[in-house]
Amino acid sequence: MKYKLPRGTQDILPEESRKWQYIEAKAHDLCQRYNYKEIRTPIFEQTDLFARGVGDTTDIVQKEMYTFDDRGGRSLTLRPEGTASTVRSFVENKMYGWADQPTKLYYIGPMFRYERPQSGRMRQFVQFGVEAMGSADPAIDAEVIGLAMDFYSELGLKNLKLIINSLGDKESRRNHKEALINHFKPRINEFCKDCQTRLEKNPLRILDCKVDRNHELMVDAPAILEFLNEDSVTYFEQVKTFLKDMNISYEVDASLVRGLDYYNNTAFEIMIDGVGFGAITTLSGGGRYNGLVEEIGGPATPGIGFALSIERLLMALETQGIELPLEDGLDAYLVTMGDKAKTAAPKLLHQLRHEGLKVDADYLAKKVKGQMKAADRQQAKVVLIIGDEELSTNSVMLKSMATGEQELVSITDITDKIKNYKSE
């Protein structure tokens, strides 16, 4: 074959896309209950948006972005994550001036990162994410975490594990940064080039390094919790209290730093422990990003959010043997006998579809036996048979695929009859 699927992408075929539709519908429904409104942003933005928002010391910006110049010589980048684009739209459209605050948004869409494709990690992938901007109340941190946990639990996932940490405010992070520099600097030459580059600018990224994660200095590196000032400690304690009140279990992990520069105060990850993943694996993550709106050109505005991979979610569902309650089959399949019936079929099909029914018919001139087999393959609840005799009496022969019983039904009554079978 001349053309093949680009590496790191996938075709989502009809049987699989039904699962995506169900999951996306669940996300829409849950966000409506939490009063989050959908936002849809472009799949490419100015490159500088991600460099400033995500952080130029991150792996995403340094190694993984799909960046290109357009015909006007402008540098554009396919979005590697959704927060920066959402915040850009928040600023550009002056959402901070809307009457109802905080501004609560969510998105579902494709993201792009150039990295080695592996199970659950694609170069084009789909994220469901939530952002709440305009409130510094720790209660909304708990709300965002609760929404993420509800999403997974309502889909049936078990063995979920919520990990939380505090990255502190600016003062706390500044003190922690100084301690990290003093800790790593004497032996920084033992670390990878990326870590050496990050030492002075953003030493917190060293703790997230996959290359040197087993280095002995990682074990006793200064933890951010040791440097939290009184305000940061109080804030973190309030978040934990709200989670307890909501009966959401959690573990505090002082090594959790997340992979993006914009996080501060609350950071969290939701993990799953189960056969098929090998070890405990992260399903989603997020946190607070006070300061990001200002970085992108807006007024001082606190924010918090999370994002999760739909692909990784599907893997988790499969690993735990969870079957989504998808609607299978057609309500009816129309079988025609003779040219007159075939000519009359489109009108009847259109009528039934207009009444909200899922119906189909043969378009390959199959014989009656072949049409019946097609009805069976597509799990039709009933078969509607029309021939010359039925046309002459303005009726249809209705056959139940479950019992084999048949009855002659008037065209005017056929919709109600099918709906009766549908409700059984």
Side-chain angles (χ1 to χ4, degrees):
M1 182 176 173
K2 186 175 180 180
Y3 301 108
K4 293 186 177 181
L5 193 71
R7 188 164 184 250
T9 64
Q10 62 177 331
D11 291 323
I12 302 172
L13 302 182
E15 190 62 28
E16 191 70 12
S17 68
R18 294 166 65 236
K19 299 177 184 177
W20 285 74
Q21 291 166 3
Y22 181 88
I23 289 170
E24 290 164 2
K26 173 64 70 175
H28 289 301
D29 174 69
L30 186 62
C31 286
Q32 287 175 10
R33 282 185 268 149
Y34 274 77
N35 198 29
Y36 284 72
K37 307 295 197 295
E38 184 182 14
I39 184 170
R40 303 188 183 195
T41 61
I43 65 169
F44 59 88
E45 301 266 8
Q46 296 176 44
T47 300
D48 190 50
L49 170 66
F50 300 113
R52 291 174 65 87
V54 175
D56 57 9
T57 63
T58 62
D59 283 347
I60 293 176
V61 172
Q62 290 184 343
K63 304 175 183 179
E64 299 172 2
M65 295 203 311
Y66 280 91
T67 299
F68 60 95
D69 289 341
D70 68 4
R71 294 189 177 185
R74 294 170 288 261
S75 181
L76 301 174
T77 295
L78 298 180
R79 62 186 183 196
E81 54 92 50
T83 300
S85 295
T86 303
V87 173
R88 187 269 310 151
S89 182
F90 173 83
V91 173
E92 187 171 357
N93 292 287
K94 297 182 174 59
M95 296 184 202
Y96 47 81
W98 290 1
D100 294 323
Q101 295 295 331
T103 303
K104 299 164 68 171
L105 306 170
Y106 76 96
Y107 56 84
I108 304 173
M111 310 294 163
F112 306 85
R113 296 185 191 177
Y114 187 87
E115 53 187 343
R116 185 173 65 85
Q118 52 187 295
S119 181
R121 191 182 296 273
M122 308 290 287
R123 289 178 174 174
Q124 177 179 322
F125 56 98
V126 176
Q127 280 189 344
F128 161 45
V130 156
E131 315 291 350
M133 289 169 278
S135 172
D137 189 335
I140 205 165
D141 297 33
E143 176 181 282
V144 166
I145 294 171
L147 192 159
M149 294 294 287
D150 279 353
F151 181 66
Y152 287 126
S153 61
E154 290 187 13
L155 288 168
L157 282 178
K158 303 290 191 293
N159 302 325
L160 297 172
K161 186 177 183 181
L162 171 64
I163 306 296
I164 62 173
N165 190 24
S166 174
L167 302 180
D169 59 13
K170 287 184 178 180
E171 180 187 26
S172 302
R173 293 192 65 166
R174 184 167 57 249
N175 294 335
H176 183 227
K177 175 181 178 180
E178 184 179 343
L180 287 173
I181 292 173
N182 292 335
H183 177 75
F184 287 113
K185 192 170 185 177
R187 297 174 61 183
I188 193 62
N189 62 320
E190 299 174 16
F191 286 75
C192 69
K193 290 184 178 180
D194 288 337
C195 286
Q196 293 177 31
T197 301
R198 293 166 179 160
L199 178 65
E200 297 294 338
K201 190 167 186 180
N202 194 349
L204 192 64
R205 293 278 64 76
I206 297 176
L207 300 179
D208 206 32
C209 179
K210 297 178 178 62
V211 176
D212 295 313
R213 59 187 173 186
N214 295 321
H215 194 286
E216 61 179 345
L217 287 185
M218 292 291 202
V219 178
D220 59 351
I224 182 62
L225 294 180
E226 301 170 11
F227 296 87
L228 297 183
N229 57 23
E230 184 177 349
D231 288 344
S232 296
V233 170
T234 300
Y235 193 95
F236 194 38
E237 289 302 318
Q238 288 178 312
V239 172
K240 291 190 288 184
T241 297
F242 286 127
L243 291 174
K244 289 175 184 176
D245 292 343
M246 295 161 66
N247 293 317
I248 297 176
S249 300
Y250 63 83
E251 293 181 17
V252 176
D253 183 352
S255 67
L256 174 63
V257 298
R258 300 293 299 144
L260 306 178
D261 282 359
Y262 49 62
Y263 287 115
N264 47 61
N265 282 315
T266 308
F268 68 93
E269 289 185 349
I270 299 174
M271 314 182 90
I272 187 169
D273 186 7
V275 178
F277 283 93
I280 295 177
T281 299
T282 301
L283 290 178
S284 62
R288 183 160 281 282
Y289 47 80
N290 303 344
L292 179 59
V293 175
E294 299 95 294
E295 182 69 26
I296 291 178
T301 308
I304 183 169
F306 76 83
L308 62 86
S309 161
I310 302 295
E311 289 86 350
R312 189 158 288 200
L313 167 59
L314 285 165
M315 282 181 58
L317 292 170
E318 183 178 356
T319 296
Q320 294 192 354
I322 297 171
E323 295 288 339
L324 298 176
L326 306 175
E327 284 193 22
D328 289 320
L330 299 170
D331 296 322
Y333 191 93
L334 183 59
V335 171
T336 59
M337 297 187 297
D339 292 339
K340 290 183 180 179
K342 189 167 182 60
T343 300
K347 179 181 177 181
L348 179 56
L349 285 171
H350 185 72
Q351 172 190 327
L352 295 174
R353 289 164 176 163
H354 187 72
E355 296 292 335
L357 296 170
K358 293 190 298 181
V359 295
D360 205 353
D362 169 57
Y363 291 97
L364 297 176
K366 292 178 183 176
K367 295 182 179 180
V368 171
K369 185 177 180 180
Q371 294 179 62
M372 294 297 292
K373 286 183 177 180
D376 187 54
R377 282 195 305 273
Q378 298 191 47
Q379 302 178 54
K381 292 180 176 63
V382 299
V383 167
L384 308 176
I385 304 170
I386 55 173
D388 291 345
E389 184 177 342
E390 286 77 19
L391 287 173
S392 65
T393 59
N394 199 33
S395 59
V396 172
M397 182 64 70
L398 185 151
K399 178 179 180 179
S400 168
M401 295 296 281
T403 65
E405 295 179 355
Q406 296 186 173
E407 61 177 312
L408 195 63
V409 180
S410 169
I411 287 288
T412 58
D413 298 330
I414 192 63
T415 297
D416 290 336
K417 278 287 185 180
I418 296 172
K419 286 183 177 179
N420 288 337
Y421 278 95
K422 183 178 178 180
S423 63
E424 290 179 356

